[in-house]
Amino acid sequence: MSVELDVFVGNTTIMDKEVYQLWLNGYTVNDAVKVRIEGGVMEECEASAEVLLSDTMDQYRTFQMCERLLHHPAKLANQLLFQIPPDRQAMLIERYYAFDDSFVREVLGKKLSKGTKKDLDDVSTKTGITLKSCRRQFDNFKRVFKVVEELKGPLVENIRQHFLLPDQLARDYAAIVFFANNRFETGKKKLHYLTFQDFAFCAGQLINNWTLGAVDNIMEDMDVDLDKEFLQELKDLKILITDKDLLDQHKSLVCTALRGKTNVFNEMEANFKNLSRGLVNIAAKLINAKDVRDFFIDLVEKFIEPFSLCLLYMGVIKSCILRMYHD
Amino acid sequence: MPGKLKAKIVAGRHLPVMDRASDLTDAFVEVKFGNTTFKTDVYPKSLNPQWNSEWFKFEVDDEDLQDEPLQITVLDHDTYSANDAIGKVYIDIDPLLCSEAATVISGWLPIYDTIHGIRGEINVLVKVDLFNDLNRFRQSSCGVKFFCTTSIPRCYRAIMVHGFVEELVVNEDPEYQWIDRIRTPRASNEARQRLIFLMSGELQRKIGLKVLEMGGNAVVGYLQCFDLEGESGLVVRAIGTACTLEKISSTLPATATHPSNSSPSKDMKDSPQAAPSTLGCRSTHSSPVHSASSRLSQGFSVSVPTLLFAGMGSGGSAGKEGGPLKALLRQQTQSALEQREYPFFTLAAFPPGFLLHVGGVVSARSVKLLDRIHNPDEPETRDAWWEEIRQEIKSHAKALGCHAVVGYSESTSICEEVCILSASGTAAILSSRFMQDGPLDTEHRFEEVVSPGCGFCHIPYDELNIPFPAQLTYCYCCRRYKVPDVLFTTIDLPTEANVTGKGCLIQARLCRTKKKAQGEGNATVISNLLPFLEYELHTQLMNKLKLRGMNALFGLRIQISVGETMLLGLASATGVYLTALPSPGGIQIAGKTPSDITYEQHISNMQKKINDTIAKNKELYEINPPEVVEEIIGSPIPEPRQRSRLFRSQSESSDEVSELDLSHGKKDAFVLEIDDTDAVEDIHALLTDSPTPAGFYSCNTEIMPGIQNWTSAIQMFTSVRVFRLNANLTNQGLNKIFSDLCENLLKSLYFKLRSMVPCCLCHLNFTVAIPEDELIQVAVTAVAMSFDKEQLLENGKQSGEKTLIKAITENDEQLQFNLELNAETSAPNPLSSPKGLSEVGSHLSARASSVDYSSFADRCSSWIEQLKLKAHTIRRGSVKTTSSMEKASPLPEGRSRSLRSNRSYSGSSVAVVKMTPLSFIPGAKIIKYLGIINMFFIRETTSLREEGGVSGFLHTFIAEVFAMVRAHVAALGGNAVVSYSMKECVFMENPNKNQAQCLINVSGDAVMFVRESELESTSVQTQSATTHTSNGAEGT
């Protein structure tokens, strides 16, 4: 004696946010039912475990049917199969493309290839995120990457338009794509203390200032690649160390800007020459792809570690450098 | 050359990849109508082709226009091999043939393939130019409007109700033709889909012809069904009610008085019966017959199923001849209506004043053996079968003293070569007002009797010759006429009915094992079982009704399904407490052997449980009927719908001069004897029905009594379950499983829809089937509608009182005779009775001068004579009339209501299309009917596991069917489907072969609606529907 077939189809597709999240998290139907029972939905609604199981299976099936549409979110809005109110559609997309920070830290900067995908079970055991969820997140990265890779125009905007993501999520994806494209090394032990949001911020700065799109603001340019010309010219920064006058001028400008704003000001002032050299050396090497990958590790090893300075400082330096460059 | 059909193929999108090498498709389109085919150019290498074709023109007879669908096939061009079909779209052009419906079909329609499902969409434009054809021998019936809705559609007014129309066509089922052995499943499915399209087109055309012949212009309550008889063929049959409808003009004065526009209370708008309020006469009273009061289900008029074998002629029908009817008049009435072949009406809700008395449920079944239909053009056997059944129904109605049957429907259940034909309806007495000429109408108004919300309950039969044992009492509303103790009907609850408390869904479920047998033996076994099945279902219904403290059932639908080794019976209805009927006694349990003390204790425990449940239910459903006659408060009576005159005929009252007959007095309790395990089981079953969770109500009728403040949030859904049984189950075991299956399904629905609380599941329509041995399939379609709790309270208390006062004061002002009459009758219902009575008073003088109807007989006979005169002229139809109607009197000022949820889904590129099995959309006004939707789809798979197993397969298919219905409605320019139903869902699987097949038939009325909130703001300027639509389409 068993239920052989059990379906429920609403004219407006019914989707429970909680079950959707469980599905996204890669729970099996049975695990999801357990979680729901623990959540107390049964008492709330006078339901039985049987009812919960039926509902969960049904919802899972609906999500599976929707999944192929979620791969092309624009299709979700003009498909006819499911009648889903726009606010729900937005929720479905946003949650489908949401990712775990702990997961993204593991794959950030890695090539989004089959090889990486094969290693996802290790990532899964390490992070405690189900393999299923890891795969979804990885596939999302890869899908977004593939679509925007060849697209012209601003990266964040492209992602937002093609995947109908909210602004913040689109920016995060831009960072992921940017990191994957430039293969920045982020997995070294020394970089472990940095969160995804730290990197995403940096990526945002780099995209805005160091890519082709940033410099020329011409639509044909692309945001994914660093501006080679710019990197080439960074070599010229060596003059900041070699030329005494410029070094002093640089120092005084930085010191004026930072005076009273950091409690390590004195140390900074004392070591300015070394600090500056570290930075300029990193900048000068960026023309090599290998060194681009090591950009962050170099910053940590050659700049932050020796002087234990905070990231705020680095930002200021950067803006100073940029300022001077433009001058 | 009466018509020119024009089609243009604009574009395609989301096409599947047909060429693996390029990941693209070279698509082109074939457009076929009849035997003519056109092709578009190939649009190479695209999944979103832009054909932008010329207009393809087909010059065809309008007969073909009605029969044939426009067939659009999308193909992938292949230079070296045969072109691959991507999928098809069938377009029913019927809506374009009627001037009042849609004018163009334009939009994105899903491309459907019976193996792959929906594969992209195609954008088409279809138009029809019709030329006038004055040929009187024409075979077409263009222009006759069809409605699935079982009430007079909103925005129409009934001028006349002509009566019953039926037709059936038969054909060989392509699936069973020899050629099926050599063709692909796809070809076979497509042949079937196309054939059914053609057959339903033909059927509709033929019915249309009958309607024209009767002088009507529309069919309301159109019910079309398929009988898949397998080897012996395919039958498509339809029944409906022919009417002459008139569109209510959208000019301001008219709309202002129309209840569905400016009515004072939402309840009216939302009520399914907000038919044009033609005033002038109110219905007379009606009597309720009740169905079997106690044990024998006679009131129920169960026809002992007559066993008939095909070709053997008809056996005697078991309809009791009604007993000697005392009053001659009855017979006269009867004979007049017998002028009609069948005085049947598929309507379940009526224009005010049409339904006078209700007798009770009449039903008939017969078991037939199918044989091959030899000549499809002469479907005589099938016709004859239905004729027998209808005659039987007619005679049952007669036995109940009724001349008509309303809420009529027919169904079949087929298993191998055995077929059960069933018909059921509600015996009733109808007013003549929609069946006569105008002048007569005016005259008749004076004899009409007031029905202060209780009239329809009054018995139509002669109390001295009750066709079955019944407990009669005086009406608890008017105290003047007799009413039965229980009333069963198949119709919707009349809006004007006085109801106490709320209603609820009541189901009786039964499963009986049966021996395997063949041919005649099998038919005999089945027909022997049927009466017991019906009897037990009836007893269960009765018990459950009493357990809920209610006294009437509406929307009763009994479905009996045959399988090889079992019979399933499912009866669903909505229980209510009619204020006019006596309070039901409790249920008393009596043990047979009162010797044993523990046994007695057991019984008293059970008794206590039952009493507790009844008490709890009464509280739950707010059933607290007024105990004292004079008591005013207590019953949340619907606000008076008619302000206008209500008439009461004296003739009626003479009828009941009758001595106080209290001998039949109210029976205290319904006694259940526990003498065997069966009875114990029954009681257990009774008590195990779990109550609906807090915040939920359920019913299978159009509206739930006691709930009026619907918000615009509605959710239509279909749920299907198939349950596999173990072999060798006992009847009790089977019963329990079946009952649990239904209960669990309901519980799941409540859980799924919990976010809509407080909400009511309306029009819960259960369908059971036995697809194979040991499988039970239950399908449910219903709509969940949210309502506003606060407003509910407010309405129930404050506004109820307000209107009450208002009503009384108005009465006082208008009517001089009020007080006297009131005193005389001491009506328990303050809202309607005093008013009604006083109205009588005001017209007494007028009536006296015209005619003195001293008896009911006179009234009827005169009416009959008039009828007869007219009836001779037209064969089947009734008399054509253009009755002059008074406008509804202005209703109390509308209270503006803020719609709770009026989320706007703007931004979505796909228009929202609402679907509902009801005839209305809460908070909205239907401004246009665009045509009937009647679609049939087959889906098959040979990769069941890959598609997610049976559940995945069916889930996708149902979602696809919804999508196609929505797309076609949107293409017609509509934004909703009302009266939607899934009439067929045949699912077959063969997991071993990884295969499954499913057939689904759905129907409904495509409509365009406007939100009331928008209407209010724009009503002054807008007459143009177009502006409304765009608004309506966006808002939801």
Coordinates of all heavy atoms in Angstrom, one line a residue, chain B residues 553-577:
Chain B
L553 N -28.1 19.8 2.2 CA -26.9 19.6 1.3 C -27.1 20.3 0.0 O -28.2 20.1 -0.6 CB -26.6 18.1 1.1 CG -26.1 17.2 2.2 CD1 -25.9 15.8 1.8 CD2 -24.8 17.8 2.7
F554 N -26.1 21.0 -0.4 CA -26.1 21.6 -1.8 C -25.0 21.1 -2.6 O -24.0 20.6 -2.1 CB -26.1 23.1 -1.7 CG -27.4 23.7 -1.2 CD1 -27.6 23.8 0.2 CD2 -28.4 24.0 -2.0 CE1 -28.8 24.3 0.7 CE2 -29.6 24.5 -1.6 CZ -29.8 24.6 -0.2
G555 N -25.2 21.2 -3.9 CA -24.1 20.7 -4.8 C -23.8 19.2 -4.7 O -22.6 18.9 -4.9
L556 N -24.7 18.4 -4.3 CA -24.5 17.0 -4.2 C -24.0 16.4 -5.5 O -24.7 16.5 -6.5 CB -25.7 16.3 -3.6 CG -25.6 14.8 -3.4 CD1 -24.5 14.4 -2.4 CD2 -26.9 14.2 -3.0
R557 N -23.0 15.7 -5.4 CA -22.4 15.0 -6.6 C -22.0 13.6 -6.2 O -21.1 13.5 -5.3 CB -21.3 15.8 -7.1 CG -20.8 15.4 -8.5 CD -19.9 16.4 -9.1 NE -19.1 15.8 -10.2 CZ -18.0 15.2 -10.0 NH1 -17.4 15.2 -8.9 NH2 -17.3 14.7 -11.1
I558 N -22.6 12.6 -6.7 CA -22.2 11.2 -6.4 C -21.6 10.6 -7.6 O -22.1 10.6 -8.7 CB -23.5 10.4 -6.0 CG1 -24.2 11.0 -4.8 CG2 -23.1 9.0 -5.7 CD1 -25.4 10.3 -4.3
Q559 N -20.4 10.2 -7.3 CA -19.6 9.5 -8.4 C -19.4 8.1 -8.1 O -19.0 7.7 -7.0 CB -18.3 10.3 -8.6 CG -17.8 10.2 -9.9 CD -16.3 10.4 -10.0 OE1 -15.7 11.0 -9.1 NE2 -15.7 10.0 -11.1
I560 N -19.8 7.2 -9.0 CA -19.5 5.8 -8.8 C -18.6 5.3 -9.9 O -18.8 5.6 -11.1 CB -20.8 5.0 -8.8 CG1 -21.6 5.5 -7.6 CG2 -20.6 3.5 -8.9 CD1 -22.7 4.6 -7.1
S561 N -17.5 4.7 -9.5 CA -16.5 4.3 -10.5 C -16.3 2.8 -10.4 O -16.3 2.2 -9.3 CB -15.2 5.0 -10.0 OG -14.4 5.2 -11.1
V562 N -16.3 2.1 -11.6 CA -16.1 0.7 -11.6 C -14.7 0.3 -11.9 O -14.1 0.9 -12.8 CB -16.9 0.0 -12.7 CG1 -18.0 -0.9 -12.2 CG2 -17.4 1.0 -13.8
G563 N -14.2 -0.7 -11.3 CA -13.0 -1.4 -11.6 C -13.2 -2.8 -11.8 O -14.4 -3.3 -11.6
E564 N -12.2 -3.6 -12.0 CA -12.4 -5.0 -12.2 C -12.8 -5.7 -10.9 O -13.6 -6.6 -10.9 CB -11.1 -5.7 -12.8 CG -10.9 -5.2 -14.2 CD -10.3 -6.3 -15.0 OE1 -9.7 -7.3 -14.4 OE2 -10.3 -6.2 -16.2
T565 N -12.2 -5.3 -9.8 CA -12.5 -6.0 -8.6 C -13.1 -5.1 -7.5 O -13.2 -5.5 -6.4 CB -11.2 -6.6 -8.0 OG1 -10.2 -5.5 -7.8 CG2 -10.6 -7.6 -8.9
M566 N -13.4 -3.9 -7.9 CA -14.1 -3.1 -6.9 C -14.9 -2.0 -7.5 O -14.8 -1.6 -8.7 CB -13.1 -2.5 -5.9 CG -12.1 -1.6 -6.5 SD -11.0 -0.9 -5.3 CE -9.6 -0.4 -6.3
L567 N -15.8 -1.4 -6.6 CA -16.6 -0.3 -7.0 C -16.2 0.8 -6.0 O -16.1 0.6 -4.8 CB -18.1 -0.6 -6.8 CG -18.7 -1.4 -7.9 CD1 -20.1 -1.8 -7.5 CD2 -18.7 -0.6 -9.2
L568 N -16.1 2.0 -6.5 CA -15.8 3.2 -5.6 C -17.0 4.1 -5.7 O -17.6 4.4 -6.7 CB -14.6 3.9 -6.1 CG -13.2 3.5 -5.8 CD1 -12.3 4.5 -6.3 CD2 -13.1 3.4 -4.3
G569 N -17.4 4.6 -4.5 CA -18.4 5.6 -4.5 C -18.0 6.8 -3.7 O -17.4 6.7 -2.6
L570 N -18.1 8.0 -4.3 CA -17.7 9.2 -3.6 C -18.8 10.2 -3.7 O -19.2 10.6 -4.9 CB -16.4 9.8 -4.2 CG -15.9 11.0 -3.5 CD1 -15.5 10.8 -2.1 CD2 -14.8 11.6 -4.3
A571 N -19.4 10.6 -2.6 CA -20.5 11.7 -2.7 C -19.9 12.9 -2.0 O -19.4 12.8 -0.9 CB -21.7 11.2 -1.9
S572 N -19.9 14.0 -2.7 CA -19.5 15.3 -2.1 C -20.6 16.3 -2.1 O -21.4 16.3 -3.1 CB -18.3 15.9 -2.9 OG -17.3 14.9 -3.1
A573 N -20.7 17.1 -1.1 CA -21.7 18.1 -1.1 C -21.3 19.1 0.0 O -20.4 19.0 0.7 CB -23.1 17.5 -0.7
T574 N -22.0 20.3 -0.1 CA -21.8 21.3 0.9 C -23.0 21.3 1.9 O -24.1 21.5 1.5 CB -21.7 22.7 0.3 OG1 -20.6 22.6 -0.7 CG2 -21.4 23.7 1.3
G575 N -22.7 21.1 3.2 CA -23.7 21.1 4.2 C -23.9 22.5 4.7 O -23.0 23.2 4.8
V576 N -25.2 22.8 4.9 CA -25.5 24.1 5.5 C -26.7 23.9 6.5 O -27.4 22.9 6.4 CB -25.9 25.2 4.5 CG1 -24.8 25.5 3.6 CG2 -27.1 24.7 3.7
Y577 N -26.9 24.9 7.3 CA -28.0 24.9 8.1 C -29.0 25.9 7.6 O -28.8 27.1 7.6 CB -27.7 25.3 9.6 CG -28.8 25.2 10.5 CD1 -28.9 24.1 11.4 CD2 -29.8 26.2 10.6 CE1 -30.0 24.0 12.3 CE2 -30.9 26.1 11.4 CZ -31.0 25.0 12.3 OH -32.1 24.9 13.1

